[in-house]
Amino acid sequence: MSEQLTLSAEARDRAGKGASRALRREGRVPAVIYGMNEEPQSIHVEEKLLNKQLGTGHFFNSVIMVEVGGKKVRTLAKDVAFHPVTDRPLHADFLRVSEHATVSVNVPVRFENEDASPGLKKGGVLNIVRHDIELIVDAAEIPDDVVVDLKGFDVGESIHISAVTLPKGAKTAIDDRDFTIATIIAPSALKSAEGDNETVAEGE
């Protein structure tokens, strides 16, 4: 299960671009907490701490306890805006959630048993179509990843969501089709083993 993160914050009294720029000069990032039929709360967080948590790789699929004025608010990170040149975080959005709320999160895909894939053993290449999958899940049971077993898959075959065992209690947000997660494609050496070799020879 994905770990719970804690992020210290301070209430933000002033709004507007000028106030936000002033905060950023002080190493703070403006943010807002919204949802659960409550008034949005303007806050700011330390840029270094936010960057550290963004670097964990599971910032967007973890429950984040935002501490404001001694009070902890259970949230999910919904968006972080970055500067187009410097990549510094400019603003963050956090959604309030109750402990066992049903939430939608993007969970990274992890592939295993590559050694047991006939296609990859032959030199095939794993072509990843989806690096993460949107899951509908209990906020207290958000998984770290979705494991895709490559055992038995050969060149030319696709791995669909129906072949994946989802974490307990989770379901995919896309439920109207058996979407593709990855395919195993032939390497260029195999592709050129037939007619393409002649083209190469002519070019030489």
Side-chain angles (χ1 to χ4, degrees):
M1 194 176 72
S2 190
E3 67 179 79
Q4 185 173 287
L5 302 175
T6 301
L7 188 62
S8 296
E10 294 179 22
R12 182 158 49 105
D13 299 324
R14 293 186 300 139
K17 290 183 178 179
S20 294
R21 279 197 295 267
L23 282 170
R24 294 187 192 108
R25 282 196 295 269
E26 296 169 5
R28 310 290 294 183
V29 178
V32 65
I33 303 173
Y34 65 95
M36 288 179 64
N37 297 316
E38 294 182 33
E39 284 291 317
Q41 183 177 11
S42 295
I43 59 171
H44 56 90
V45 300
E46 185 184 351
E47 182 180 347
K48 284 182 181 177
L49 182 55
L50 180 61
N51 276 326
K52 184 179 178 182
Q53 296 198 353
L54 283 165
T56 62
H58 47 84
F59 183 74
F60 287 100
N61 65 309
S62 297
V63 168
I64 301 169
M65 300 300 289
V66 181
E67 291 186 24
V68 191
K71 181 184 175 185
K72 288 186 178 181
V73 184
R74 183 184 304 275
T75 73
L76 287 176
K78 298 308 287 183
D79 187 47
V80 177
F82 295 94
H83 191 282
V85 177
T86 64
D87 272 346
R88 288 181 63 184
L90 298 177
H91 192 275
D93 292 352
F94 297 94
L95 174 68
R96 296 184 188 96
V97 293
S98 57
E99 185 174 2
H100 289 288
T102 299
V103 295
S104 170
V105 290
N106 288 320
V107 177
V109 173
R110 177 167 60 87
F111 296 91
E112 64 176 26
N113 281 333
E114 292 186 15
D115 292 344
S117 162
L120 295 180
K121 278 186 174 181
K122 292 174 188 171
V125 178
L126 181 65
N127 174 46
I128 301 173
V129 178
R130 290 179 180 269
H131 289 272
D132 53 45
I133 296 172
E134 187 178 359
L135 295 183
I136 309 296
V137 66
D138 187 309
E141 301 291 337
I142 299 172
D144 284 328
D145 48 37
V146 173
V147 178
V148 177
D149 191 345
L150 297 173
K151 184 177 181 181
F153 285 98
D154 211 335
V155 170
E157 292 188 319
S158 298
I159 300 105
H160 296 99
I161 189 62
S162 58
V164 178
T165 302
L166 292 175
K168 185 180 178 182
K171 63 180 182 179
T172 58
I174 300 172
D175 59 4
D176 60 346
R177 63 186 187 277
D178 190 15
F179 58 87
T180 302
I181 297 170
T183 58
I184 297 179
I185 58 175
S188 54
L190 285 180
K191 286 180 183 175
S192 63
E194 296 174 0
D196 288 354
N197 272 345
E198 295 171 17
T199 309
V200 173
E202 287 171 13
E204 291 174 349

